[in-house]
Amino acid sequence: MLSPGLPQGAVPRLERPGPLRDRVYEALLELITTRALQPGQHLVESELAGHLGVSRQPVREALQRLNTEGWVDLRPAQGAFVHEPTEDEADQLLTVRTLLEAEAARLAAAHADRAGVEALEEILEQGLLAVAGDDVDAAVALNARFHTKVIELAGNAVLAELAAQVDRRVRWYYTPVARQRGQQSWIEHRDLIAAIAARDEQLATRLMREHTEHTRRSYLDRPKP
């Protein structure tokens, strides 16, 4: 049986090859990012090892790494717990995301070709289908893919590297408001695609800034458990 907060089918398969500790780390990070492991949840090494089919040692190493990166809190005499982000942490990260992605949208409008625009349109269609089917996991994944594609079309390697550093945490914060944002988020994506296709850098910048601000406000104003 899986522990509460870790639904049946949520545990990813550990692909080979690669160092076991790295694969366990990636598996646990994915479970945290998708909130299969909820903020504040107690992480028991033996249970996680059993779910992943590994010994406790790589789990312990992965939890230590996740603690260093701020995903997990190790509490003396209590154990490991999924980090509970503060409102300030979320606000700061989502503000930085707005700055990065607004510039990415401007550069995408300057450089994107027809193939790039069509790639965004394809993701848009899939995202609308996910929302219509109330498939939150797919909607979150497709939202991340859309923003990653915009950054790719920007053609700035340094910007892409910086955005990649915050991508996982953006997904973490977006997941609890994905259903609330719903179709409106994808309508905003559609408008952004139109601005990029028209090579309107100013409009693309403004639309992306407004779009990411809506997500930031939705997260900060969400109902608290």
Side-chain angles (χ1 to χ4, degrees):
M1 294 289 294
L2 295 176
S3 60
L6 194 53
Q8 188 70 36
V11 180
R13 298 186 63 180
L14 299 185
E15 300 296 336
R16 301 178 186 276
L20 185 58
R21 64 179 179 275
D22 292 345
R23 290 185 282 122
V24 170
Y25 162 83
E26 286 294 338
L28 293 179
L29 182 53
E30 184 66 14
L31 289 169
I32 292 171
T33 303
T34 60
R35 295 189 179 239
L37 292 171
Q38 291 285 326
Q41 184 172 338
H42 187 202
L43 303 174
V44 181
E45 287 182 9
S46 58
E47 290 183 2
L48 294 173
H51 296 332
L52 297 173
V54 299
S55 68
R56 294 175 61 175
Q57 182 60 31
V59 172
R60 184 177 300 114
E61 293 174 354
L63 291 176
Q64 290 171 346
R65 179 176 172 185
L66 291 165
N67 173 67
T68 300
E69 296 176 356
W71 292 100
V72 166
D73 297 327
L74 297 179
R75 303 174 188 170
Q78 296 183 52
F81 296 81
V82 178
H83 180 65
E84 296 184 74
T86 66
E87 297 296 280
D88 282 346
E89 288 173 5
D91 189 36
Q92 290 174 24
L93 182 118
L94 294 173
T95 297
V96 169
R97 179 222 187 182
T98 294
L99 295 173
L100 293 173
E101 298 212 18
E103 177 62 8
R106 184 188 72 79
L107 292 172
H111 302 303
D113 56 13
R114 185 58 209 167
V117 172
E118 289 175 353
L120 291 175
E121 290 172 341
E122 182 178 347
I123 298 171
L124 171 68
E125 291 178 9
Q126 295 174 16
L128 289 170
L129 288 174
V131 170
D134 197 30
D135 189 340
V136 174
D137 289 342
V140 170
L142 287 163
N143 180 74
R145 190 187 306 172
F146 180 90
H147 285 269
T148 297
K149 187 63 183 179
V150 172
I151 292 166
E152 177 187 321
L153 295 176
N156 185 308
V158 174
L159 178 61
E161 181 179 354
L162 293 172
Q165 292 179 24
V166 302
D167 174 68
R168 269 261 174 63
R169 291 189 187 275
V170 169
R171 286 175 58 197
W172 195 31
Y173 295 133
Y174 183 71
T175 296
V177 299
R179 183 174 279 114
Q180 173 188 341
R181 289 284 281 130
Q183 189 175 34
Q184 180 58 38
S185 178
W186 292 94
I187 291 173
E188 293 165 11
H189 285 164
R190 177 184 288 150
D191 293 341
L192 179 61
I193 293 172
I196 291 173
R199 295 190 173 278
D200 191 330
E201 298 178 36
Q202 184 174 1
L203 179 59
T205 302
R206 179 173 65 80
L207 291 176
M208 181 64 92
R209 184 177 294 116
E210 291 173 353
H211 172 68
T212 54
E213 174 63 15
H214 290 160
T215 297
R216 187 182 73 87
R217 288 303 335 161
S218 294
Y219 181 84
L220 295 177
D221 295 341
R222 75 197 186 286
K224 307 303 188 293

